[in-house]
């Protein structure tokens, strides 16, 4: 990697580690949803790269939709009040839905999304999160598929940003603002 892209911090999960884990998650979903056609809902923007890789690790006739949400409040702490910036195109009634999220921190965003999506009448609704930050979630989140549990550090790369930067890093890095 040249210096134009190199972020301040260290690699937490390599491209290879992420790829291996996503293959396992894809296989698990393929087994669990045999003879079904789940609808993957990607939460923009952070999940876009993960969604693309996860989808290709699933051997089922899946369909895709995307949502964009933004939380009110300041940038570093989620308030739990979420605004839908881009809504779904596809009707959820009778569908087996899998929400694809980049990272669960407090879980407030996901809690809101789950309630909102469940009210639209899907047959089932599960979550496939790439990352869960250990010890931060308030209540029971019922996460069926989790890629990795990570330490408290802020992370960037593999779709995740700080101020819209670093999403295209192939590895996941911990971000140290004091070096930026
Ligand atoms: P929660 O509502 O506290 O669970 O926050 C989850 C959302 O905050 C994620 O979907 C991300 O968009 C963002 N987020 C939380 N932690 C990080 C991080 O370490 N890097 C980049 N985005 C993050
Ligand atoms: Mg997100």
């Amino acid at each position: 990697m040249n210096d134009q892209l190199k972020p301040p911090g260290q690699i937490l999960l390599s491209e290879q580690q992420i790829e291996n884990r996503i293959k396992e998650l894809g296989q698990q979903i393929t087994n669990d949803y045999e003879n079904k056609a789940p609808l993957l809902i990607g939460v923009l923007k952070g999940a876009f790269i993960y969604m693309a890789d996860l989808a290709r690790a699933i051997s089922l006739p899946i369909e895709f939709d995307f949502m964009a949400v933004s939380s009110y409040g300041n940038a570093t702490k989620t308030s739990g009040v979420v605004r839908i910036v881009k809504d779904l195109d596809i009707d959820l009634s009778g569908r087996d839905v899998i929400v694809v999220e980049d990272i669960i921190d407090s879980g407030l965003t996901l809690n809101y999304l789950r309630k909102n999506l469940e009210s639209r009448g899907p047959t089932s609704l599960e979550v496939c999160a790439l990352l869960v930050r250990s010890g931060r979630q308030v209540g029971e989140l019922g996460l069926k598929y989790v890629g990795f549990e990570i330490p408290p550090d802020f992370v960037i790369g593999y779709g995740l940003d700080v101020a819209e930067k670093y999403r295209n890093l192939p590895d996941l890095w911990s971000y140290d603002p004091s070096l930026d």
Side-chain angles (χ1 to χ4, degrees), residues 43-47 69 100-104 109 113 160-161 167:
V43 184
L44 295 171
K45 303 173 194 169
V69 297
V100 179
E101 253 285 36
D102 51 357
I103 179 165
I104 314 289
T109 306
L113 263 186
L160 289 93
D161 72 310
R167 293 193 196 273

Side-chain angles (χ1 to χ4, degrees), residues 34-78:
E34 194 181 357
N35 298 320
K36 292 179 180 161
L39 174 66
L40 298 196
I41 297 182
V43 184
L44 295 171
K45 303 173 194 169
F48 79 114
I49 290 179
Y50 171 46
M51 175 100 152
D53 285 343
L54 178 68
R56 285 174 292 177
I58 300 172
S59 303
L60 294 170
I62 48 178
E63 293 173 29
F64 299 84
D65 208 343
F66 292 92
M67 254 179 127
V69 297
S70 82
S71 46
Y72 289 114
N74 70 50
T76 52
K77 205 161 173 278
T78 342

Side-chain angles (χ1 to χ4, degrees), residues 32 41 52 61 90 100 103 121 135 148 157 162:
D32 292 352
I41 297 182
I90 298 178
V100 179
I103 179 165
F148 302 91
V162 58

Side-chain angles (χ1 to χ4, degrees), residues 16-151:
Q16 190 62 59
Q17 281 175 291
I18 297 170
E19 183 187 321
N20 293 345
R21 183 67 186 121
I22 288 178
K23 291 239 164 79
E24 292 174 357
L25 289 173
Q27 191 54 57
Q28 217 181 322
I29 290 172
T30 303
N31 295 340
D32 292 352
Y33 290 82
E34 194 181 357
N35 298 320
K36 292 179 180 161
L39 174 66
L40 298 196
I41 297 182
V43 184
L44 295 171
K45 303 173 194 169
F48 79 114
I49 290 179
Y50 171 46
M51 175 100 152
D53 285 343
L54 178 68
R56 285 174 292 177
I58 300 172
S59 303
L60 294 170
I62 48 178
E63 293 173 29
F64 299 84
D65 208 343
F66 292 92
M67 254 179 127
V69 297
S70 82
S71 46
Y72 289 114
N74 70 50
T76 52
K77 205 161 173 278
T78 342
S79 60
V81 184
V82 174
R83 187 166 55 98
I84 295 177
V85 177
K86 184 229 171 283
D87 207 346
L88 301 170
D89 299 322
I90 298 178
D91 180 8
L92 297 192
S93 58
R95 299 303 306 261
D96 293 298
V97 168
I98 304 174
V99 177
V100 179
E101 253 285 36
D102 51 357
I103 179 165
I104 314 289
D105 185 27
S106 67
L108 290 170
T109 306
L110 183 68
N111 254 338
Y112 171 88
L113 263 186
R114 187 192 275 280
K115 280 198 205 102
N116 181 289
L117 297 176
E118 267 167 1
S119 75
R120 306 185 198 195
T123 299
S124 67
L125 194 158
E126 299 293 353
V127 177
C128 187
L130 179 64
L131 308 167
V132 175
R133 187 169 279 125
S134 303
R136 289 267 304 136
Q137 295 78 46
V138 215
E140 199 30 69
L141 283 174
L143 301 174
K144 180 133 186 209
Y145 307 101
V146 171
F148 302 91
E149 284 209 18
I150 59 163

